[in-house]
Amino acid sequence: MKVFKFGGASVKDAEAVRNVGRIIARFSGEKLLVVISAMGKSTNKLEDLVDAFWKNDEAKKRNIIADLKDFHYKIANDLISDQKHHIYSNLEDLFMELECLVEKRYPNAAYDEIYDGVICYGELLSTKIVSDYLSSVDTKNKWVDARNFIQTDSNFREGRVKWSETEDTIKRILKPYIDRNMVISQGFIGRDEHNNTTTLGREGSDYTAAIFAYCLEANDVTIWKDVAGVMNADPKKFDKAVKLDAINYNQAIELAYYGASVIHPKTIQPLKSKNIQLYVNSFINIDDKGTVVNNDAPALSNECYIVKDQQTLLSISTKNYSFIAEDNLSRIFEHFAKHKVRINVMQNSAISFSACCDTKETKIDELCAALSSEYSVEQESNCTLLTIYNAKNEIEMPAQFSEQTALLKQVLGAATQVVLKAKA
Ligand code: ASP
Ligand code: MG
């Protein structure tokens, strides 16, 4: 059994969907589960819709829904011209649900709960289109709602998988279907025990593929990307970037942890625990060998560069000059956990604690306000976090960063991390 995952870029327009069809057709004899994300950038659009809903901005809501319809119907029209085809009533049903959902008010629901209820439509629309298209070109498949299988707790926007329930339903109910038919399902979305939609965190579709593969005891997972495989650096930023042919699970986990964006950080663990190989292949050059992630790959010999832009460095110091030790640290961490602000790298000295976070973390300002009752807090935005993994003896700053000031530097095992800021 195989699990495939196609991300937003691989289904961004009709031609891309046809290409997915061609890839899938090559595997017609295999038992196959295909996980698909929302088309193109539609998840971002849905985020704007949640925002407009929250702010009661009726005009903006209507505009966004019109854009979403336009985008999805254009792709559907290009794929299936017969306006009586059931793809159109399927799309109508989903859009009607979505419109009704953002019509009502939910006085007891928090933002994150509404977010998940709305955001899942990107994946629902996308998989309906792909599934109906495949059927129309005689590629037999069954559309399945992933929320019936991926069971999570109620931690909206970052649902934690309930593994035993999930594994049990997938094995008992889903597996027999895949034995008979190719199954198409959504990445990223799940459901809690109260029947609410949850999501696994942005870019979580890779993780969904890994969850399904784990529960189905699949032979392998293939993530189809618009790049050649996993590279040692982002080719858009480093002209000497090379593809890595093979990576072992442990190093892949570390690379994903430090922010190599090709693989979602939670994806590798479930695969490693059942020794399921992961292929990262190009959907553009289908025949090219991409990257394989498994147990046997030798340790990397390449130096890897991971760049995270849009970072904010927080410097938190005690007002009374008390040391940053266990008691202060535990209170500081409590604030971070409560505001769900994730730390990418941290360091502490005698009376100050520094943490580098993604600027887009929505609750940074609230976090700083909460911290400042007890601490002095400084925010430095527009920073870049550079991680050099597997560095050779002497770290050489890549040329494009040599003009920047290093605000923080840390060496931890195989990784050297530097928070950089352009000189004013
Ligand atoms: N559609 C979701 C996102 O854009 C999930 C994914 O693409 O993996 O974050
Ligand atoms: Mg995506």
Side-chain angles (χ1 to χ4, degrees), residues 43 46-47 50 114-123 188-189 199:
T43 303
L46 285 156
E47 283 189 341
V50 179
I114 291 166
Y115 176 101
D116 282 353
V118 170
I119 218 82
C120 65
Y121 280 87
E123 268 67 18
F188 179 51
I189 65 176
T199 60

Side-chain angles (χ1 to χ4, degrees), residues 44 46-62 64 102-106 109-111 114-115 118 362:
N44 295 352
L46 285 156
E47 283 189 341
D48 295 341
L49 179 62
V50 179
D51 220 50
F53 167 83
W54 194 251
K55 292 179 179 144
N56 263 320
D57 188 337
E58 290 301 319
K60 195 165 170 205
K61 239 168 56 180
R62 274 194 296 276
I64 295 170
V102 294
E103 203 51 44
K104 304 188 188 100
R105 305 308 310 170
Y106 308 91
Y111 185 95
I114 291 166
Y115 176 101
V118 170
T362 44

Side-chain angles (χ1 to χ4, degrees), residues 5 7-8 37-38 40 43-44 123 187-188 201-206:
K5 181 262 173 171
S37 309
T43 303
N44 295 352
E123 268 67 18
F188 179 51
R202 284 301 305 263
E203 306 300 330
S205 295
D206 295 354

